[in-house]
Amino acid sequence: MTQATDIDIREIKELITAGNAATQKQIADLAMSSQTQIADLREEMRIGFTKIDGKFDTVNARLTNLETNTKAIADLAEKVGELKNWKQIAIVIFTATVGGAIGWFVRTGKM
């Protein structure tokens, strides 16, 4: 081969080698960048899930309070019902006592 052809072949080999090196460097940089972005996404997802877990904890606490209050309302309603019965019993006893006293006074004629 001629000397010009040898020089051209050598230049082509050097360009191919340089192109391969540049390509490998770009691939390595891309891989590094991808790993960094994946790590950032994982961190953001972890923070997001932590916030969601916190909201779930808040919702669970509110539901627990609601259940407790609902049970308390049922107990209060039962107590009010019992109190209503006691009021009715007291009214009947009072009415019977007053009616008996009036009847006793009318029957004995001591008014």
Side-chain angles (χ1 to χ4, degrees):
M1 281 200 247
T2 64
Q3 190 176 8
T5 308
D6 287 340
I7 292 173
D8 288 340
I9 292 174
R10 203 175 307 128
E11 285 178 5
I12 291 172
K13 284 182 181 179
E14 288 173 0
L15 287 173
I16 291 172
T17 304
N20 285 340
T23 303
Q24 288 177 356
K25 184 180 182 316
Q26 287 176 348
I27 290 172
D29 290 345
L30 182 61
M32 188 76 104
S33 174
S34 297
Q35 288 176 352
T36 304
Q37 288 176 349
I38 289 171
D40 290 345
L41 285 174
R42 283 185 180 155
E43 181 65 21
E44 287 179 21
M45 286 175 59
R46 186 188 64 77
I47 291 170
F49 283 130
T50 302
K51 288 179 182 178
I52 290 172
D53 286 341
K55 289 180 182 179
F56 281 137
D57 291 341
T58 303
V59 169
N60 286 337
R62 288 182 180 177
L63 284 175
T64 303
N65 288 340
L66 184 62
E67 288 174 358
T68 304
N69 291 339
T70 303
K71 289 177 185 175
I73 289 173
D75 291 341
L76 288 174
E78 184 179 336
K79 288 180 182 179
V80 167
E82 290 174 2
L83 181 61
K84 184 179 175 184
N85 291 339
W86 282 108
K87 282 182 182 178
Q88 289 174 344
I89 292 170
I91 290 171
V92 168
I93 291 173
F94 177 75
T95 305
T97 305
V98 171
I102 292 172
W104 183 73
F105 285 125
V106 169
R107 189 175 58 177
T108 59
K110 293 184 178 179
M111 264 193 141

